[in-house]
Structure formats: C-alpha cells, structure tokens
Amino acid sequence: MNKLTYSRTFWTALIAGMTTGMGNGSVFGAALMCALGRGRFADWGGWGAQSYDPSTFMGFIDWCMIIFGLMFTVIILVSMNRHGELEAKAS
C-alpha cells in the first residue's frame, strides 16, 4: 500500500516546495536584475500592492517566485507519490 499519497504529503510538499522554489525564484530575479537592469519596467514597484503588479519590476519578480514555488510543490508531490508506489511494490 502506498503510504505517500498526495493527501498525506501535501503540507510537507507545500512547505518544502514553496521554500525551495521561491528561493530559486529570488535567485532568478537577482540574476535577471544583474543581467538586464530594470529593462523595460518603468517602475520598480516596491510599495504595497504594487509589489505584486506584474507590470512593475518587483511584481514580475514576486510572481516568478510564486510560480517557481508552486511548480516545485507539484514536482515534490509527484516524486513523493511515485516513491511511495515504488516502496509499495518492493514490499
């Protein structure tokens, strides 16, 4: 029996995925800023709700971090479920 189902591993995967993914997203943002500067973004967008407006530089980076975090969460959920299937098959 697979003990690593999606429902059992959701919170662990969410915390690990968002932490790792958002960390990688921030590194992506820093590398982007070093390579391009602010580029076509007229405003850096660092105050209040502007921080999440994708038309500002900071908003674009924040959304990259959120998307990276969600994708890492999905990757961890799938890998933990497949690992559970392999463990169940082996026993």
Side-chain angles (χ1 to χ4, degrees):
M1 180 176 120
N2 183 359
K3 293 183 181 179
L4 296 175
T5 61
Y6 295 120
S7 61
R8 286 186 173 181
T9 59
F10 176 75
W11 291 108
T12 303
L14 182 68
I15 292 167
M18 290 302 283
T19 303
T20 305
M22 290 185 80
N24 287 343
S26 69
V27 172
F28 170 76
L32 184 70
M33 186 172 61
C34 288
L36 303 176
R38 273 197 348 220
R40 295 182 301 149
F41 296 102
D43 189 11
W44 77 283
W47 301 105
Q50 259 191 332
S51 295
Y52 298 99
D53 179 6
S55 67
T56 65
F57 181 76
M58 193 69 221
F60 174 74
I61 298 304
D62 284 347
W63 276 104
C64 285
M65 289 171 56
I66 292 168
I67 291 169
F68 274 54
L70 291 173
M71 291 302 106
F72 269 74
T73 300
V74 169
I75 290 167
I76 291 173
L77 278 171
V78 169
S79 63
M80 289 178 88
N81 187 32
R82 288 187 181 171
H83 177 74
E85 290 171 358
L86 290 172
E87 288 286 324
K89 218 182 265 187
S91 62

